[in-house]
Amino acid sequence: MNSIFSDLKHIIEGEVSNTKAELEALSHDFGGIIQKQPQIIVRPQNCHDVAKAIKYAAKQGLTISSRAAGHTLSGQSLNQDGILLDMSNLNQIHEFHSNKLWFKADAGVTWKQVIDTSLLYGVIPPVLTNNFEVTLGGTLSAGGLGLSSFRHGSQADNCLGLEVVTGTGDIVWCTPEKNSELFNHVLCGYGQFGIITQVQNRLRKYRPLTRSYFLCYDDLDILLNDQRLLTSEERIDGLVSLFSPCLLGVSRANGNKIKPLIQWFYRMQITLEVDSIDDINEIELLSSLNFYRHIHTEDLTFNKFIQPIAQVSHPVDTANSWIDVILPSSIAKKYIDTALQHLPSFIDFRTVPVGSFCLLTRNMKMPMFPLPQEDLVIGLGLYPTIPKSQIQHVIEQLNFLTDLGLQMGGKRYMATWANFDLPRWRLQYGDYWSKVNEIKRKYDPHKILNPGFFKYEEVEQKHESHALL
């Protein structure tokens, strides 16, 4: 290890570290489920440092992974016994063009940095997640979903260009037109085909005011129908639904086993972005919906509305075993009913945030973000934060819900917790899975980039090794 440290110190312009404290600090991620510890941490100063580190890793037979905020949930930003690239020093916004509606920045720039700059000019990235402290490279590698994704797609769908260092150490600028194959697979590719070092991203103008309606439903089918109506006709600018359980008692009908009697209520929040509140035809908007009760109306400036309500706490000795299942609209109710009935069997359902969102497949273009084959898809999110002592049992049940979703034609949003074996990866990507394996062999032939998350075909690996003999 000392020789690796010495070698990298001589070739890297940025920082190189192997102190015990720093290695331990970067051995876990936000999920808190997976732990891996690298041999060496490299904090690159520029893309050339990234290229040198990758070439060195390939020569030495080491794996190499990238991280910045470390907000992954399944260890995607961790590395075991190899080189970990801490991208947080690549944190400069290089160009910002409010009139041309785009900016260019390093991959380690946080969305908060971009937003603080863009609000001064009356523009904003088209899609914002609920955490601004994550980085451009991180969310573009995952997708990045927000309240407006049904209109604007994922954050990756709003990327205009990328500087990428491939698994062979080549530095490539790619766009939808130039080096498009690499562009289309690095986005939502979880660092499997290249490391993002710089980003060019779209901006949009925004209106100064927002109005949000908080609508309560006691019938899931009616909620889903109203979500379909609002999103397919793009009547609104933001939508999210949160589910709340009401415990009405217990049943002892099945022997001595106690079963909770739960009534679920569903709160849909719809948001309009306007120049003036007087522009809203509230009667026309709400009269077309079939909610149980109109709970609240909230008027905020746009600047205030987009700010996260609160940061998610992460108590000591807990894990964030969150999952998002993306479902064909036609089977969404059946799956959600099953998931909500199953939830109390393995976790304290009263403490688990549960929510729903919508996506229109016409606005989601990235091939590495697989979607069900319907125009409208419904996302169900379960976000349990649990004691680490419960991890194994909870993960088994989340795997059950994952498998059920895949069998029903759904997909998983891989930014949340995922424990995928090869059959699950095949279901996730379907006919496109062979292409994913092909792209991996092309841009990371040594299979050193961000290992351990994706499980590739053994047959493909054997074929490749024979070809090299």
Side-chain angles (χ1 to χ4, degrees):
M1 186 169 71
N2 288 333
S3 64
I4 297 171
F5 176 79
S6 177
D7 290 346
L8 289 170
K9 285 285 285 186
H10 281 94
I11 65 175
I12 298 296
E13 295 178 47
E15 303 171 21
V16 180
S17 174
N18 64 351
T19 67
K20 182 179 179 181
E22 289 191 90
L23 293 174
E24 289 180 352
L26 298 184
S27 68
H28 52 84
D29 62 4
F30 182 73
I33 299 171
I34 304 295
Q35 272 201 304
K36 297 180 180 181
Q37 186 163 303
Q39 287 193 54
I40 299 287
I41 298 165
V42 172
R43 294 186 174 90
Q45 184 172 305
N46 49 50
C47 64
H48 301 289
D49 275 354
V50 176
K52 291 172 187 174
I54 289 175
K55 289 177 180 178
Y56 180 82
K59 185 177 179 181
Q60 298 296 321
L62 297 168
T63 62
I64 186 164
S65 307
S66 58
R67 73 172 282 158
H71 207 261
T72 57
L73 278 83
S74 305
Q76 300 99 314
S77 61
L78 304 180
N79 182 279
Q80 183 64 47
D81 296 328
I83 299 171
L84 182 64
L85 297 171
D86 179 352
M87 307 292 282
S88 55
N89 285 350
L90 294 179
N91 57 10
Q92 299 300 309
I93 298 175
H94 297 287
E95 297 182 58
F96 197 93
H97 300 281
S98 58
N99 55 336
K100 297 179 182 178
L101 297 178
W102 62 266
F103 69 91
K104 185 180 285 188
D106 291 333
V109 165
T110 66
W111 288 98
K112 185 178 188 305
Q113 287 175 262
V114 174
I115 292 161
D116 288 347
T117 300
S118 66
L119 289 176
L120 299 174
Y121 296 95
V123 294
I124 199 75
V127 178
L128 301 174
T129 68
N130 60 5
N131 185 349
F132 292 172
E133 300 297 338
V134 292
T135 63
L136 306 183
T139 60
L140 293 178
S141 293
L145 298 178
L147 300 181
S148 61
S149 283
F150 70 92
R151 295 200 71 157
H152 301 292
S154 67
Q155 288 181 323
D157 288 296
N158 291 279
C159 182
L160 301 172
L162 295 170
E163 181 183 75
V164 174
V165 185
T166 69
T168 55
D170 296 315
I171 301 170
V172 182
W173 180 258
C174 50
T175 70
E177 295 79 32
K178 181 180 180 182
N179 300 309
S180 59
E181 182 179 68
L182 187 60
F183 177 85
N184 287 328
H185 292 84
V186 169
L187 290 167
C188 310
Y190 295 92
Q192 292 295 303
F193 317 110
I195 306 298
I196 299 172
T197 52
Q198 199 169 108
V199 170
Q200 183 181 356
N201 205 80
R202 187 177 285 117
L203 296 164
R204 71 170 179 90
K205 295 179 181 179
Y206 63 84
R207 293 188 170 93
L209 302 174
T210 66
R211 169 167 282 185
S212 296
Y213 295 99
F214 295 76
L215 309 173
C216 181
Y217 291 75
D218 60 355
D219 186 296
L220 178 59
D221 208 21
I222 294 174
L223 169 79
L224 294 175
N225 284 334
D226 280 0
Q227 285 187 165
R228 291 184 189 100
L229 175 69
L230 291 167
T231 54
S232 61
E233 297 184 5
E234 297 192 353
R235 298 187 186 188
I236 55 175
D237 298 294
L239 181 146
V240 67
S241 297
L242 298 176
F243 299 179
S244 299
C246 179
L247 182 61
L248 299 178
V250 295
S251 170
R252 295 172 293 173
N254 297 321
N256 293 322
K257 189 174 181 180
I258 294 176
K259 177 183 177 181
L261 300 176
I262 304 166
Q263 168 69 54
W264 285 90
F265 292 91
Y266 315 94
R267 190 209 77 191
M268 181 169 67
Q269 177 185 337
I270 58 175
T271 300
L272 302 169
E273 188 181 315
V274 294
D275 294 310
S276 168
I277 296 301
D278 294 335
D279 294 341
I280 299 171
N281 188 333
E282 182 174 295
I283 295 175
E284 180 181 356
L285 174 67
L286 298 185
S287 64
S288 63
L289 305 177
N290 295 289
F291 49 88
Y292 160 63
R293 182 172 294 172
H294 177 184
I295 302 170
H296 180 61
T297 300
E298 181 178 75
D299 294 332
L300 296 173
T301 65
F302 181 84
N303 295 23
K304 178 75 172 176
F305 168 73
I306 63 168
Q307 300 302 321
I309 295 175
Q311 293 297 319
V312 176
S313 62
H314 195 164
V316 176
D317 292 326
T318 62
N320 295 312
S321 52
W322 303 354
I323 66 167
D324 284 317
V325 184
I326 302 176
L327 305 157
S329 176
S330 60
I331 61 93
K333 181 181 185 300
K334 181 178 180 180
Y335 178 89
I336 293 173
D337 279 339
T338 302
L340 295 182
Q341 289 170 15
H342 188 62
L343 194 62
S345 70
F346 68 94
I347 204 165
D348 185 353
F349 63 92
R350 297 164 298 180
T351 65
V352 178
V354 180
S356 175
F357 55 90
C358 298
L359 298 172
L360 296 173
T361 54
R362 66 173 179 264
N363 295 329
M364 306 284 292
K365 308 296 185 185
M366 294 296 108
M368 290 300 294
F369 197 116
L371 291 169
Q373 297 300 308
E374 291 189 8
D375 294 337
L376 174 68
V377 296
I378 305 293
L380 175 69
L382 306 173
Y383 309 118
T385 296
I386 58 173
K388 288 193 174 181
S389 60
Q390 298 178 13
I391 285 176
Q392 191 58 44
H393 176 62
V394 171
I395 284 175
E396 289 173 0
Q397 301 308 312
L398 295 178
N399 286 345
F400 165 78
L401 292 175
T402 289
D403 290 337
L404 179 63
L406 292 171
Q407 292 160 12
M408 294 175 71
K411 304 294 182 181
R412 279 292 315 278
Y413 180 32
M414 301 305 292
T416 48
W417 163 255
N419 181 20
F420 268 35
D421 55 14
L422 193 51
R424 289 181 183 131
W425 282 112
R426 290 169 179 158
L427 285 172
Q428 174 78 354
Y429 282 99
D431 293 340
Y432 202 74
W433 181 234
S434 60
K435 181 69 172 180
V436 175
N437 281 267
E438 175 191 327
I439 297 296
K440 180 67 171 179
R441 295 194 303 273
K442 181 174 182 179
Y443 293 104
D444 182 21
H446 308 293
K447 294 183 172 60
I448 60 173
L449 294 180
N450 290 277
F453 181 55
F454 276 64
K455 307 292 190 298
Y456 293 100
E457 296 289 343
E458 291 286 339
V459 173
E460 299 289 354
Q461 292 174 348
K462 290 178 182 176
H463 174 78
E464 180 187 32
S465 63
H466 288 306
L468 294 173
L469 294 177

